[in-house]
Amino acid sequence: MNDVLMPTQTSPPDSPFAGKTLSPDHLVNIARLVTAYYVRIPDPEVAAQRVAFGTSGHRGVSSLATFNETHVLAVCQAICRYRSAHGIDGPLFLGIDTHALSEPAFASAMEVFAGNGVEVMVAAGGEYTPTPAVSHAILTHNVGRTAGFADGVVITPSHNPPDNGGIKYNPPNGGPASSEITGWIESQANDLLRDGLRTLPRVSFDKAMRASTTHGYDFVNSYVDDLRHVVDMTLLRDSGIHMGVDPMGGAGVHYWQAIADRYDLNLSVTRQTVDPTFRFMPADWDGQIRMDPSSHYAMQRLIAQKDKFDVAFACDTDHDRHGIVAPSVGLLPANHYFSVLVQYLFAERPDWPASAAIGKTVVGSQLIDRLAAKLGRRLYEVPVGFKWFAPGLLDGSLAVAGEESAGASFLRRDGTVWTTDKDGLIPALLAGEMTARTGRDPGELYLKLTETLGAPVEARREASATPAQKARLAALSPGQIHSTRLAGEPINAILTRAPGNDAPIGGLKVITDHGWFAARPSGTESIYKIYAESFLGDSHLQQLLSEAQALVDQALAGEAANTAT
């Protein structure tokens, strides 16, 4: 559950709708949403209505003129220009999730890609396609090639509410596009918006689907058949452990039964409903529906069934995030499970490169730092965004990488690349593998791990922020933090650049021996976030949060005063 700070710095109560399924009058109106996608024309002179890539693509709402047909046409044309400028002439793998705006955005994308003569691989039979299946397809095509490289597009706003739409680009390395690439695409797309899309090659959707450049691709079987090379599916079958999965009405809804059938697993799919209103999902802490597998509210149905299974799991709408439910503890926080996942993998993957590192973001748990030291593995700490991990996963210098927001991927069992984007399915299946092999569920394994490395507590707060405030926060320097102590301990480091790759973290991180906080602006919302973790308990955590808020307020106020003078 998020602990949200408003400008008054008081935490409002959760919405009265939190944890409840919403009545029909509170659900998104699909007809109006799709109509707005086609009839609302964004104004490129209004900053909020321009194309803007956050940590993972361009996202928005059609009724707010932030995700409309014009945006998708412009982004896809910009991608075509990028492909041409960089000699990318292999197939483009195109996937979509189950959000209401994904289908119309798919049609718009196809009209542009076919109009540009791009070879496009679409899911056979109109199947939905998880993000990791697109990454896997790109990498499978590109292995051993020196030319004709593939890339991909996934139409998804991730776990965001049902009225959201999104589109993201994966270059030939299979992972989320780098900031340099998304900045170029964003600039080109906004130029096209200002020009009124006058130079846009485009054909009708029917013609696009009949074009000689449009091909069907079996994403499901290509991905499912290869899973045995990354997770021990034989062990899962032979152990007979009972696993449960909730696809949350997302793009992997038909993948799970295919996995169970292909490997003869004792796997129960608890729900196979696909409904763009997501009316079956309980509302999150703020009364909005989110398909977020790290939310106790979103996961409460599966949590209630925890004793029916040896281990259970769920994935978000594009299946690049995971949530693990263990009989011993219920829903594991993402940081907790990632630490267990890292320890287990390095114990059970003897063919992995001895030099392969552990990847985490600056807001990931310091428990991973302690675990890396224990394992004798290099820690690669980067800013928020899975794009920073893609090159290392591709060349094998990273064995495993994860985010605090429940996104992770790791190498195949032989130490070669699996996916370079987040993959929610393999961490979920690995929870079954580790339960079968150790006889303990992931919650029990986490508690055992903390006996030697310490048991952290964590929290995240959010506060409203104007674009100017977000910009000031992103530009803070260590010199603007004048305190030498934090929550009773000396400050060891103040970071504005990530230790792993020296890239700006878009905010700052302050570290002591037994705790830390990080503050950064959101890439997609008018808020900033404060993350904190303590190894000294809840009281120390609250002190960290309080002092972190004061330090950030002081730094922002000081910067604003300097700007004014």
Side-chain angles (χ1 to χ4, degrees):
M1 178 176 65
N2 291 328
D3 184 8
V4 179
L5 284 183
M6 304 301 286
T8 59
Q9 300 183 25
T10 59
S11 298
D14 288 346
S15 166
F17 297 108
K20 300 177 182 178
T21 52
L22 300 182
S23 60
D25 56 314
H26 284 90
L27 299 174
V28 63
N29 186 313
I30 302 299
R32 290 179 181 174
L33 189 71
V34 174
T35 299
Y37 173 82
Y38 288 107
V39 303
R40 290 291 304 271
I41 307 300
D43 182 352
E45 301 309 313
V46 177
Q49 297 182 22
R50 298 176 194 145
V51 172
F53 278 78
T55 54
S56 189
H58 171 74
R59 299 176 185 174
V61 180
S62 60
S63 58
L64 300 178
T66 53
F67 186 87
N68 305 85
E69 181 185 39
T70 312
H71 291 113
V72 177
L73 296 174
V75 168
C76 291
Q77 184 59 36
I79 289 170
C80 290
R81 290 181 177 181
Y82 179 82
R83 298 180 99 243
S84 178
H86 292 82
I88 303 170
D89 56 4
L92 183 147
F93 291 90
L94 179 59
I96 68 169
D97 77 359
T98 55
H99 276 80
L101 291 178
S102 294
E103 289 280 1
F106 170 79
S108 303
M110 285 301 305
E111 292 173 3
V112 173
F113 291 142
N116 281 269
V118 175
E119 299 278 342
V120 181
M121 311 298 283
V122 299
E127 183 61 75
Y128 302 109
T129 311
T131 285
V134 172
S135 179
H136 176 268
I138 295 169
L139 296 172
T140 300
H141 176 88
N142 289 344
V143 65
R145 287 184 175 271
T146 58
F149 292 106
D151 56 2
V153 167
V154 189
I155 298 173
T156 174
S158 188
H159 64 292
N160 282 20
D163 62 354
N164 278 224
I167 183 169
K168 58 184 180 181
Y169 175 63
N170 288 40
N173 72 4
S178 68
S179 299
E180 292 77 15
I181 295 174
T182 57
W184 192 94
I185 292 172
E186 180 181 304
S187 176
Q188 291 284 314
N190 285 320
D191 285 346
L192 286 162
L193 290 183
R194 294 185 189 96
D195 194 44
L197 303 180
R198 289 187 299 110
T199 59
L200 189 75
R202 184 182 180 187
V203 300
S204 70
F205 179 63
D206 284 345
K207 186 174 181 179
M209 295 305 292
R210 295 195 305 267
S212 61
T213 52
T214 300
H215 312 281
Y217 181 78
D218 190 352
F219 284 97
V220 176
N221 285 315
S222 175
Y223 180 90
V224 171
D225 288 349
D226 209 13
L227 275 172
R228 61 190 175 89
H229 293 114
V230 68
V231 176
D232 191 341
M233 307 302 281
T234 301
L235 173 64
L236 281 180
R237 180 197 66 201
D238 293 346
S239 70
I241 67 164
H242 190 194
M243 298 174 287
V245 59
D246 182 357
M248 289 188 163
V253 66
H254 296 141
Y255 279 62
W256 291 107
Q257 193 59 54
I259 292 169
D261 293 344
R262 170 68 176 79
Y263 297 102
D264 193 22
L265 304 182
N266 187 11
L267 174 66
S268 298
V269 183
T270 64
R271 177 170 46 203
Q272 299 194 53
T273 306
V274 174
D275 180 343
T277 67
F278 294 91
R279 67 181 67 236
F280 51 83
M281 289 291 301
D284 206 356
W285 63 273
D286 59 352
Q288 291 203 68
I289 293 173
R290 289 186 185 84
M291 290 57 71
D292 181 358
S294 64
S295 164
H296 281 269
Y297 287 124
M299 291 285 282
Q300 65 179 6
R301 184 172 180 269
L302 196 59
I303 295 169
Q305 301 178 76
K306 68 181 180 65
D307 294 328
K308 290 178 57 178
F309 307 108
D310 295 303
V311 68
F313 32 81
C315 292
D316 70 334
T317 326
D318 68 320
H319 269 50
D320 69 348
R321 300 186 188 203
H322 59 275
I324 308 300
V325 175
S328 61
V329 298
L331 178 65
L332 273 79
N335 275 323
H336 294 189
Y337 179 61
F338 184 61
S339 64
V340 171
L341 177 147
V342 168
Q343 182 185 50
Y344 175 82
L345 284 171
F346 280 111
E348 299 297 337
R349 296 297 187 266
D351 293 331
W352 277 7
S355 60
I358 301 166
K360 60 163 278 196
T361 67
V362 292
V363 295
S365 175
Q366 208 165 46
L367 186 62
I368 304 301
D369 303 53
R370 298 183 178 192
L371 181 56
K374 177 184 176 183
L375 295 171
R377 292 279 176 166
R378 180 172 63 90
L379 185 69
Y380 183 67
E381 187 173 356
V382 298
V384 172
F386 210 79
K387 61 190 175 185
W388 303 106
F389 299 130
L393 289 168
L394 183 64
D395 66 18
S397 61
L398 280 179
V400 56
E403 296 181 315
E404 59 82 32
S405 56
S409 190
F410 46 89
L411 298 179
R412 294 170 183 259
R413 294 163 70 186
D414 67 359
T416 58
V417 63
W418 169 249
T419 61
T420 49
D421 208 330
K422 299 189 291 288
D423 187 333
L425 291 91
I426 59 169
L429 289 166
L430 193 76
E433 180 189 320
M434 67 175 67
T435 301
R437 177 163 279 120
T438 68
R440 296 177 175 178
D441 72 38
E444 294 170 314
L445 293 173
Y446 174 76
L447 294 175
K448 183 67 175 177
L449 179 65
T450 61
E451 289 177 5
T452 55
L453 297 182
V457 289
E458 61 186 34
R460 188 182 80 186
R461 292 184 173 181
E462 299 174 355
S464 300
T466 66
Q469 289 173 324
K470 289 170 62 177
R472 289 198 294 270
L473 179 57
L476 286 178
S477 67
Q480 290 169 257
I481 300 297
H482 303 297
S483 298
T484 60
R485 299 180 68 83
L486 174 68
E489 293 190 298
I491 291 175
N492 296 334
I494 301 174
L495 306 178
T496 55
R497 307 185 76 87
N501 59 359
D502 198 40
I505 64 176
L508 81 166
K509 181 177 182 179
V510 181
I511 305 167
T512 68
D513 283 343
H514 296 95
W516 59 270
F517 84 84
R520 56 177 292 272
S522 169
T524 57
E525 301 176 84
S526 297
I527 60 174
Y528 70 84
K529 302 176 183 181
I530 295 178
Y531 306 79
E533 181 181 58
S534 169
F535 282 81
L536 298 178
D538 287 323
S539 178
H540 185 247
L541 176 66
Q542 294 307 313
Q543 189 179 356
L544 274 171
L545 286 166
S546 177
E547 294 187 22
Q549 184 72 56
L551 286 172
V552 171
D553 288 347
Q554 182 182 27
L556 287 178
E559 177 63 16
N562 292 338
T563 302
T565 57

